């Protein structure tokens, strides 16, 4: 079953491993798909890549994620509506497993196993436990479920 969490843009903060600087992006059309005990939060980030100003912080952050999806450590969403709807769905499932799928359009779709944490000031933080797979445009998905070995071709 699929539920819409938010259609309008919401600011998201991305945190990275290895002490690298994080950045912010706008997430749109957030939805939650529930299949058994698996909850998948889908976030459309593609609009960040359509910015005319290629030096805008949102564009730069989205491109960094596209090049370094395996370095993502956390995702924060300060939106209380998204938080409330996630908690409601989480409480209705026995032993839930949460995943996040970040969609950067032609630059890739990235799936992560995450652990949710409510933030003191509202919103939710999703800590990345595992980078599940990546899918670039017309290429087949790679990762634990694919036959191909995991590729870190985005390393500099």
């Amino acid at each position: 079953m699929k539920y819409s969490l938010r259609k309008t843009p919401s600011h998201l903060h991305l945190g990275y491993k290895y002490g690298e600087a994080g950045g912010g992006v706008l997430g749109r059309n957030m939805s939650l798909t529930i299949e058994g005990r698996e909850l998948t939060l889908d976030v459309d980030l593609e609009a960040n890549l359509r910015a005319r100003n290629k030096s805008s912080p949102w564009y730069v952050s989205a491109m960094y994620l596209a090049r370094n999806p395996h370095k993502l450590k956390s995702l924060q969403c300060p939106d209380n509506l998204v938080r409330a709807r996630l908690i409601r769905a989480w409480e209705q499932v026995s032993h839930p497993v949460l995943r996040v799928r970040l969609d950067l359009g032609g630059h890739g779709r990235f799936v992560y196993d995450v652990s949710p944490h409510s933030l003191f000031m509202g919103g939710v933080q999703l800590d990345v436990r595992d980078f599940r797979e990546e899918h670039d445009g017309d290429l087949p998905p790679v990762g634990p479920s694919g036959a191909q070995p995991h590729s870190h071709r985005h390393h500099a």
Side-chain angles (χ1 to χ4, degrees):
M1 187 168 280
K2 188 171 188 173
Y3 302 94
S4 177
L5 297 182
R6 184 169 199 79
K7 290 188 180 277
T8 56
S10 184
H11 182 265
L12 304 171
H13 179 77
L14 307 175
Y16 292 96
K17 299 175 184 174
Y18 317 119
E20 295 183 31
V25 292
L26 288 178
R28 300 173 191 262
N29 298 321
M30 293 184 191
S31 64
L32 185 67
T33 304
I34 302 174
E35 295 176 358
R37 55 177 246 167
E38 291 185 5
L39 286 72
T40 303
L41 173 62
D42 285 291
V43 183
D44 180 359
L45 301 177
E46 187 176 11
N48 294 283
L49 298 171
R50 286 183 273 187
R52 289 183 183 176
N53 178 1
K54 302 302 181 201
S55 62
S56 78
W58 291 328
Y59 178 84
V60 171
S61 292
M63 285 303 296
Y64 185 84
L65 175 62
R67 291 184 185 115
N68 302 286
H70 57 282
K71 292 183 179 181
L72 187 65
K73 179 180 175 184
S74 66
L75 172 86
Q76 279 186 10
C77 179
D79 192 308
N80 281 323
L81 179 62
V82 171
R83 174 183 175 227
R85 290 177 175 174
L86 267 176
I87 289 171
R88 191 175 314 129
W90 182 267
E91 290 174 344
Q92 293 176 3
V93 176
S94 179
H95 305 293
V97 175
L98 182 59
R99 292 198 172 110
V100 172
R101 182 181 303 122
L102 302 177
D103 187 353
L104 288 163
H107 290 275
R109 285 191 310 267
F110 309 106
V111 180
Y112 303 89
D113 286 338
V114 296
S115 297
H117 301 282
S118 291
L119 297 175
F120 179 70
M121 298 300 290
V124 65
Q125 176 169 315
L126 304 172
D127 293 329
V128 173
R129 290 185 295 117
D130 192 21
F131 175 47
R132 300 288 296 171
E133 66 180 39
E134 61 183 284
H135 178 62
D136 292 322
D138 297 325
L139 298 175
V142 296
S145 61
Q148 300 175 357
H150 180 69
S151 168
H152 289 286
R153 71 184 176 289
H154 297 293
H155 277 278

